[in-house]
């Protein structure tokens, strides 16, 4: 009597896979369905990626390519503009090394007050505005958020009044502060001074800082308020039962739990401050270098040559990208470390 050994059935897409933990079998995801899912992800991302490539990628690449070309110059022999073609890193050297060229193309030292010598001044002004305004806005925003978070009569009116400044367009608020800081404006009358707030170097910088802090502190307060509202009230009640003071509650409960909101506020405001243009441009007109940010310098240079302005805009883009990357790495590590410490303590 012959025994026929049957071959194992063909493993189809629906073949169950053994469950090692429980000993039974669990149905596997069909290969065809898994393939459809893997194709659906790039299909959904593709329209957004293509749009970003057109709107952002193409202008950035075009600006980088233009930055390696020289600006057209007037050829006296034929009486018209002639392109200089590929000049390599000459435009970048002009800005970073403050190099200028004469009519013959030879490198000479830049005269005082020219755009070449204004580059590092504008870098300092941009970083000064970013550091000072973001620091003040986060501190005041944290204070305003705590006030708006309290349960009291008229809380809705307080929140509305705080957010009014942020709702006003920047051009309107800049013109408003320009009137306030005029020579015969409200600021000099209240202080009894005769300061040229929009002409002198440091007064004009402080005027821009005050206007920017007044304008955007409500935005930071709104972000921090959203973080405060996520903290359960039972946490504070338990801390009060344990005898924690208000300062201890703020230090060990409030600050650690709203750190993600503060990180978002710092990132948003830092990126906005690094590309600040409209507020100092309207209030002081750039201030002949005292309030000239990198964005103002790029716009001024565009009136003289697009290719050198492209090099300057590329440098500005690199600077903003580097600072944003450092902030993301540093602040994200701090938030993750705090959350890990809280989990270990729990």
């Amino acid at each position: 009597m012959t025994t026929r050994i049957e071959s194992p059935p063909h493993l189809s897409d629906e073949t169950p896979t053994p469950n090692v933990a429980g000993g039974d079998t669990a149905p596997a995801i069909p290969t065809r369905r898994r393939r459809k899912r893997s194709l659906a992800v790039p299909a959904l991302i593709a329209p957004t990626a293509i749009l970003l490539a057109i709107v952002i990628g193409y202008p950035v690449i075009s600006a980088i390519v233009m930055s390696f070309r020289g600006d057209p110059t007037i050829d006296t022999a034929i009486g018209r503009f002639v392109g200089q073609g590929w000049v390599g890193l000459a435009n970048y050297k002009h800005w970073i090394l403050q190099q200028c060229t004469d009519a013959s193309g030879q490198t000479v030292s830049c005269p005082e007050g020219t755009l070449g010598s204004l580059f590092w001044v504008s870098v300092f002004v941009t970083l000064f505005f970013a550091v000072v305004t973001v620091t003040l806005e986060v501190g005041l925003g944290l204070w305003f958020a705590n006030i708006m978070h309290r349960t009291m009569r008229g809380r809705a009116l307080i929140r509305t009044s705080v957010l009014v400044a942020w709702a006003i367009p920047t051009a309107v608020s800049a013109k408003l502060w320009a009137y306030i800081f005029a020579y015969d404006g409200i600021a000099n009358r209240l202080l009894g001074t005769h300061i040229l707030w929009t002409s002198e170097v440091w007064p004009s910088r402080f005027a821009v800082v005050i206007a920017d802090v007044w304008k955007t502190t409500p935005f930071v307060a709104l972000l921090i308020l959203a973080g405060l509202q996520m903290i359960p009230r039972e946490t504070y009640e338990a801390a009060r039962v344990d005898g924690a003071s208000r300062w201890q509650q703020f230090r060990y409960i409030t600050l650690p739990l709203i750190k993600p909101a503060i990180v978002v506020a710092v990132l948003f405001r830092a990126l906005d401050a690094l590309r600040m243009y409209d507020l100092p441009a309207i209030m002081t007109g750039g201030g002949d270098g005292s309030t000239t940010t990198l964005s103002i310098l790029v716009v001024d240079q565009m009136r003289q040559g697009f290719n050198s302005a492209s090099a300057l805009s590329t440098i500005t883009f690199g600077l903003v990208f580097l600072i944003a990357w450092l902030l993301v790495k540093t602040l994200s590590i701090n938030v993750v470390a705090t959350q890990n410490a809280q989990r270990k303590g729990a």
Side-chain angles (χ1 to χ4, degrees):
M1 183 177 179
T2 60
T3 304
R4 186 178 64 180
I5 302 176
E6 295 182 358
S7 59
H10 180 68
L11 295 177
S12 64
D13 290 341
E14 305 289 342
T15 303
T17 56
N19 188 346
V20 179
D24 52 355
T25 57
I29 300 177
T31 305
R32 188 175 303 172
R33 190 187 306 171
R34 197 184 308 121
R35 189 179 299 119
K36 288 182 179 179
R37 289 183 181 180
S38 62
L39 293 176
V41 174
L44 293 173
I45 298 177
T48 303
I50 294 173
L51 182 62
L52 290 177
I54 296 174
V55 176
I56 298 177
Y58 176 74
V60 170
I61 295 175
S62 299
I64 294 175
V65 173
M66 291 175 60
S67 67
F68 294 106
R69 297 181 178 275
D71 292 322
T73 57
I74 298 179
D75 190 344
T76 56
I78 59 178
R80 63 180 181 180
F81 284 96
V82 178
Q84 294 186 5
W86 193 266
V87 295
L89 299 176
N91 291 326
Y92 293 93
K93 292 180 180 179
H94 164 72
W95 295 113
I96 298 177
L97 302 180
Q98 298 183 3
Q99 291 185 352
C100 295
T101 57
D102 55 13
S104 61
Q106 298 296 324
T107 301
V108 296
S109 59
C110 293
E112 189 67 25
T114 58
L115 286 177
S117 61
L118 277 178
F119 172 72
W120 290 110
V121 176
S122 64
V123 171
F124 167 77
V125 170
T126 304
L127 295 178
F128 172 79
F129 284 156
V131 173
V132 176
T133 56
V134 172
T135 302
L136 293 175
E137 288 163 7
V138 171
L140 293 174
L142 183 59
W143 181 32
F144 290 169
N146 278 279
I147 294 176
M148 293 187 292
H149 185 59
R150 294 178 182 176
T151 303
M152 56 184 173
R153 295 182 61 182
R155 184 173 66 173
L157 180 61
I158 293 176
R159 290 183 177 181
T160 304
S161 61
V162 169
L163 295 176
V164 165
W166 182 49
I168 298 176
T170 305
V172 176
S173 61
K175 208 65 179 176
L176 170 67
W177 283 99
Y179 290 133
I180 293 175
F181 287 115
Y183 181 75
D184 56 348
I186 300 174
N188 279 333
R189 292 185 180 182
L190 291 177
L191 299 175
T193 57
H194 302 281
I195 301 175
L196 299 175
W197 290 98
T198 58
S199 299
E200 296 181 2
V201 176
W202 283 105
S204 61
R205 291 172 181 172
F206 287 127
V208 173
V209 167
I210 293 172
D212 188 69
V213 170
W214 177 85
K215 164 69 179 172
T216 52
T217 295
F219 171 73
V220 178
L222 188 63
L223 293 177
I224 298 177
L225 177 62
L228 287 174
Q229 292 180 337
M230 298 296 294
I231 303 176
R233 293 187 178 275
E234 293 79 6
T235 306
Y236 293 103
E237 294 176 358
R240 282 194 294 269
V241 171
D242 292 337
S245 62
R246 285 186 176 273
W247 169 249
Q248 289 174 333
Q249 294 176 27
F250 176 76
R251 180 180 178 183
Y252 297 107
I253 297 177
T254 305
L255 274 183
L257 293 179
I258 64 172
K259 266 191 176 181
I262 295 177
V263 168
V264 173
V266 170
L267 287 175
F268 280 14
R269 283 302 307 135
L271 295 180
D272 283 342
L274 289 172
R275 52 188 177 86
M276 184 186 299
Y277 173 80
D278 43 5
L279 196 63
I282 296 174
M283 287 184 62
T284 65
D288 294 331
S290 59
T291 57
T292 301
T293 61
L294 285 172
S295 298
I296 294 177
L297 191 61
V298 170
V299 175
D300 290 342
Q301 180 59 26
M302 287 177 61
R303 301 185 179 97
Q304 303 185 24
F306 279 97
N307 294 331
S308 57
S310 298
L312 182 58
S313 63
T314 303
I315 296 173
T316 304
F317 171 78
L319 178 64
V320 174
F321 180 83
L322 176 62
I323 294 176
W325 180 79
L326 292 175
L327 286 175
V328 170
K329 294 291 291 184
T330 304
L331 298 177
S332 298
I333 290 174
N334 291 338
V335 171
V336 172
T338 302
Q339 293 176 347
N340 292 336
Q342 292 173 352
R343 291 171 184 172
K344 291 180 180 179

